[in-house]
Amino acid sequence: MICSGKLKEKFWEQACAEYVKRIGGHADLKITELPEILPSSGVDAAAALRREAAAVEKAVPKGAKTIVLTPEGKQYSSEEFASLISSLASGGDSRLCFIIGSSNGISPELKASADMQISFSKMTFPHHLFRAMLLEQIYRAFMILGGRTYNK
């Protein structure tokens, strides 16, 4: 998982750490935090997004299938998301790299170059909250795939 921006609040760190621990029994998970590049007097928003995209592309593990999380992506139920993860893994794509953009979003170029685009909603979420949401859904997918009960 590649995330632009660092978790700053303790409660987000704790929530994410809990799901990382839970996922650890099912998969190797690595979270790479990249610095968020904010527009400044010398850099406009589009240029900042392009610079973030370049850093993300360098951080993607070799051979990983890239999945950008964006409101424009395809929406899945939790069961469909679990099925997707299972079908990718059984099809030889066991290395998945989920990409969460910064508070400024994700560059159109990075979205276009990704193997997949997934949406959790047409709504916009703070990227810190979204990281916890994605980790929870990955854990939920493993519970679904294992036929285990997980509270809704």
Side-chain angles (χ1 to χ4, degrees), residues 20 23 34 36 38 57 70 72 79 84 93 95 108-109 111 118 120-121 125 133 138 143:
V20 166
I23 292 166
L34 300 175
E36 185 174 12
L38 300 172
E57 288 171 353
T70 177
E72 301 87 21
E79 293 78 13
L84 173 68
D93 290 314
R95 294 190 74 174
E109 297 85 5
K111 289 178 188 179
I118 292 180
F120 277 23
S121 171
F125 299 101
M133 291 170 54
I138 292 169
M143 294 298 94

Side-chain angles (χ1 to χ4, degrees), residues 5-22 29 31 33 127-133 135:
K6 295 190 179 293
L7 295 178
K8 295 175 184 156
E9 295 86 0
K10 194 78 165 162
F11 55 91
W12 293 134
E13 289 176 7
Q14 291 170 336
C16 290
E18 177 62 28
Y19 285 111
V20 166
K21 181 177 82 175
R22 292 180 184 193
L29 175 69
I31 297 176
E33 290 183 332
H127 60 286
H128 296 19
L129 168 62
F130 191 78
R131 186 187 310 190
M133 291 170 54
L135 288 167

Side-chain angles (χ1 to χ4, degrees), residues 3 21 24 30 32 40 53 68 82-84 94 99 147:
C3 308
K21 181 177 82 175
K30 179 183 176 196
T32 301
S40 62
V68 170
S83 224
L84 173 68
S94 60
I99 300 169

Side-chain angles (χ1 to χ4, degrees), residues 22-71:
R22 292 180 184 193
I23 292 166
H26 305 278
D28 289 330
L29 175 69
K30 179 183 176 196
I31 297 176
T32 301
E33 290 183 332
L34 300 175
E36 185 174 12
I37 300 172
L38 300 172
S40 62
S41 59
V43 179
D44 66 5
L49 287 177
R50 284 193 299 276
R51 287 176 53 194
E52 281 181 355
V56 166
E57 288 171 353
K58 287 180 185 172
V60 171
K62 197 172 201 95
K65 186 167 198 78
T66 55
I67 303 169
V68 170
L69 288 298
T70 177

